[in-house]
Amino acid sequence: MKLHLKIWRQEDRNSKGKLVDYELENLNPHMSFLEMLDTLNEKLIVENDQPVEFDHDCREGICGQCGMMINGIAHGPLENTTTCQLHLRTFKDGETVFIEPFRSHAFPVKKDLKVDRSAFDRIISSGGFVSVNTGQAPDAHAIPVTHQSTEAAFDAAACIGCGACVATCKNGSAALFTSAKIAHMALLPQGREERNERVINMVQQMDQEFFGHCSNTEACEVECPQGISVINIARMNYEYNRALFYKK
């Protein structure tokens, strides 16, 4: 299998980047997308050229580090799939593939395909935790929680923080990520003690990181590898307005 790659190369956030052409032949269609980039980097190293920098960690679709734009789509053309789970059989032999970093003011490029997503960490540290002393682990049935609330909380908690929602939103909004972190705690009894303070702090931190406002196009849900629902954004807005009301 042969691919023609156009990869964004940028030395650092202050340098001007550009798309660089690469050709790879004799590729196995069953290779993952990241394995293909590994193959390219081995070739570049042999040629005394700089390898392409890109983020990755687990390569199992659970860490969210492998985010990049592939042919203009976050994580590539397959639905609910991370880049590391994307395989070359998805593409045609001889196809031209454009590979670029996530684009967002809040995600500055560190080098090539690597971006700085520490803004997400600051949103989490501003309130995405439960600070109560739980002591010993309680019995599983000690705190009554409805099945509906449990399922909704777990669905929201599935967010892996990859940033695809930000990269695909025309306003660069982090509403889906932030709302998922707020929702899964607000839905469970353990997180309700700080629900008002949490939502205000996290929304304010999101704004301070210069993420845009929600565009209401629901593109974030479409490109999310975990299929996080935009219903969580509505829940975040409810929690935020509720917190402001009780703060008065």
Side-chain angles (χ1 to χ4, degrees):
M1 183 178 184
K2 179 180 179 180
L3 287 178
H4 177 59
L5 307 175
K6 287 183 174 290
I7 302 179
W8 185 263
R9 302 303 306 266
Q10 184 173 339
E11 186 61 31
D12 54 51
R13 68 179 63 186
N14 297 318
S15 301
K16 186 177 180 180
K18 64 178 181 178
L19 288 169
V20 179
D21 294 323
Y22 298 99
E23 295 276 358
L24 282 181
E25 298 180 345
N26 302 319
L27 294 170
N28 188 325
H30 300 297
M31 294 173 68
S32 73
F33 200 84
L34 296 189
E35 287 174 329
M36 180 271 293
L37 291 178
D38 289 338
T39 301
L40 172 63
N41 281 342
E42 290 175 1
K43 179 175 180 289
L44 293 176
I45 291 172
V46 170
E47 296 172 351
N48 292 320
D49 199 352
Q50 284 289 321
V52 177
E53 296 274 356
F54 62 94
D55 284 318
H56 66 91
D57 190 6
C58 72
R59 300 204 178 200
E60 295 178 352
I62 58 176
C63 76
Q65 295 301 303
C66 61
M68 61 186 72
M69 302 298 288
I70 302 171
N71 288 341
I73 304 173
H75 292 294
L78 296 185
E79 293 184 3
N80 304 131
T81 304
T82 53
T83 303
C84 63
Q85 293 178 308
L86 184 68
H87 292 82
L88 298 192
R89 57 180 174 267
T90 307
F91 305 92
K92 297 179 181 178
D93 187 20
E95 183 175 348
T96 298
V97 182
F98 290 80
I99 310 172
E100 301 172 85
F102 282 171
R103 304 290 187 181
S104 170
H105 177 81
F107 289 167
V109 174
K110 298 174 73 174
K111 187 175 181 180
D112 296 337
L113 305 176
K114 291 172 66 74
V115 297
D116 184 354
R117 284 175 284 192
S118 59
F120 275 4
D121 297 330
R122 291 188 288 273
I123 292 175
I124 291 294
S125 63
S126 69
F129 53 86
V130 176
S131 62
V132 295
N133 183 6
T134 58
Q136 294 181 339
D139 293 336
H141 62 286
I143 303 176
V145 185
T146 66
H147 176 74
Q148 183 180 10
S149 296
T150 302
E151 290 298 309
F154 278 136
D155 287 345
C159 171
I160 58 177
C162 67
C165 53
V166 176
T168 198
C169 177
K170 62 184 180 182
N171 289 341
S173 172
L176 190 67
F177 165 80
T178 307
S179 66
K181 301 306 179 183
I182 290 171
H184 91 259
M185 293 184 177
L187 287 164
L188 297 176
Q190 295 88 341
R192 289 175 185 166
E193 184 69 25
E194 300 165 295
R195 63 190 296 185
N196 295 338
E197 180 183 358
R198 176 185 299 114
V199 67
I200 290 175
N201 289 343
M202 292 183 73
V203 170
Q204 287 179 347
Q205 185 64 42
M206 177 179 66
D207 292 339
Q208 290 174 14
E209 299 294 342
F210 297 105
F211 289 105
H213 293 291
C214 175
S215 64
N216 294 315
T217 60
E218 302 184 10
C220 52
E221 180 179 336
V222 174
E223 300 301 337
C224 176
Q226 299 297 319
I228 304 297
S229 174
V230 293
I231 290 176
N232 289 302
I233 298 178
R235 183 173 288 116
M236 176 181 69
N237 293 335
Y238 163 77
E239 290 288 332
Y240 186 74
N241 289 325
R242 176 187 179 279
L244 291 179
F245 176 80
Y246 283 104
K247 188 178 179 181
K248 294 178 180 179

